[in-house]
Amino acid sequence: QLQLQESGPGLVKPSETLSLTCSVSGGSISSSSYYWGWIRQPPGKGLEWIGSIYYSGSTYYNPSLKSRVTISVDTSKNQFSLKVNSVTAADTAVYYCARDIVATIGLFDYWGQGTLVTVSS
Amino acid sequence: DIQMTQSPSAMSASVGDRVTITCRASQGISNYLAWFQQKPGEVPKRLIYASSSLQSGVPSRFSGSGSGTEFTLTISSLQPEDFATYYCLQHNNYPLTFGGGTKVEIK
């Protein structure tokens, strides 16, 4: 059974960089059939797709965040990561990692349980 | 970017009611529309993809329809476990965009 697990600091100061890692177990991140994505949800609000990455390193970003976001992959560790620069309180959210399907994007069939990141001094 | 507008944003309904949620896309997305259900404190769960294809294991009281710019999610007979927030997602192309959500509450 595929499992995804987010990890990283739960508190980040304004203007600093938010860094999260998603560890994948029960399957290979190097599969040609899948993308690996990040989605976030501010408290009490809706879902926002941040971006996705292929095992080769090809990335797709939400234009609203593209200038501040970097998604990378480490196939040797079966992990992918998210960095968001220059964070503000508006970046406070539950951050989910999820598996997407290359053949039909946006189907997000497996999700991590989510991790709350609070931006505050 | 394609904007997804969901309506209503919230609704109250009773067990056994037929519930319909609408999602409109700002431009045509063929049938590339998925519906997710999220209960408080839980991870979103995909119910429907490609507008009308039911995810394996999802009860048949859930159905989806539509193409182009207008889509609906219908729950034929609302059950207690269906009280949740529902999101549409256009998966026609990047950037993927979600609707604002519809919270279905108990009347």
Side-chain angles (χ1 to χ4, degrees):
Chain A
Q1 176 79 347
L2 190 79
Q3 292 187 321
L4 292 86
Q5 176 74 54
E6 305 91 351
S7 60
L11 181 64
V12 181
K13 290 182 169 55
S15 80
E16 296 190 345
T17 297
L18 179 161
S19 296
L20 295 174
T21 295
C22 182
S23 299
V24 179
S25 59
S28 173
I29 204 169
S30 299
S31 170
S32 60
S33 299
Y34 304 110
Y35 291 120
W36 305 90
W38 289 96
I39 297 148
R40 71 179 184 178
Q41 184 171 37
K45 296 189 178 180
L47 300 163
E48 179 180 36
W49 173 74
I50 300 170
S52 296
I53 191 164
Y54 194 53
Y55 77 95
S56 63
S58 297
T59 51
Y60 303 88
Y61 294 124
N62 190 324
S64 68
L65 296 166
K66 185 175 182 178
S67 63
R68 298 193 296 125
V69 167
T70 302
I71 298 175
S72 59
V73 63
D74 187 336
T75 55
S76 66
K77 295 182 179 179
N78 226 36
Q79 296 175 337
F80 62 107
S81 298
L82 170 71
K83 291 186 186 298
V84 182
N85 300 325
S86 305
V87 297
T88 69
D91 294 307
T92 294
V94 174
Y95 285 77
Y96 297 101
C97 60
R99 188 179 80 170
D100 199 4
I101 300 170
V102 169
T104 308
I105 61 170
L107 297 196
F108 298 114
D109 57 351
Y110 286 91
W111 296 61
Q113 85 277 14
T115 187
L116 175 63
V117 178
T118 301
V119 178
S120 175
S121 55
Chain B
D1 301 359
I2 299 172
Q3 308 304 315
M4 304 303 296
T5 304
Q6 251 181 273
S7 60
S9 56
M11 62 182 300
S12 296
S14 299
V15 173
D17 283 355
R18 182 181 182 89
V19 168
T20 299
I21 299 168
T22 297
C23 194
R24 289 187 173 86
S26 60
Q27 62 190 77
I29 57 171
S30 184
N31 67 334
Y32 291 100
L33 194 286
W35 291 97
F36 288 80
Q37 176 194 63
Q38 187 180 33
K39 298 178 181 178
E42 294 188 7
V43 172
K45 170 188 170 184
R46 188 178 76 223
L47 301 176
I48 286 169
Y49 62 98
S51 180
S52 61
S53 295
L54 197 65
Q55 176 63 30
S56 175
V58 174
S60 59
R61 62 181 179 273
F62 290 93
S63 64
S65 64
S67 67
T69 62
E70 188 151 339
F71 302 85
T72 58
L73 171 70
T74 299
I75 309 172
S76 60
S77 178
L78 197 66
Q79 298 302 299
E81 60 268 30
D82 301 337
F83 291 95
T85 301
Y86 295 84
Y87 294 94
C88 63
L89 167 71
Q90 71 80 14
H91 60 103
N92 183 56
N93 53 24
Y94 290 122
L96 304 172
T97 44
F98 288 91
T102 297
K103 186 173 184 178
V104 178
E105 299 176 302
I106 301 172
K107 182 182 284 185

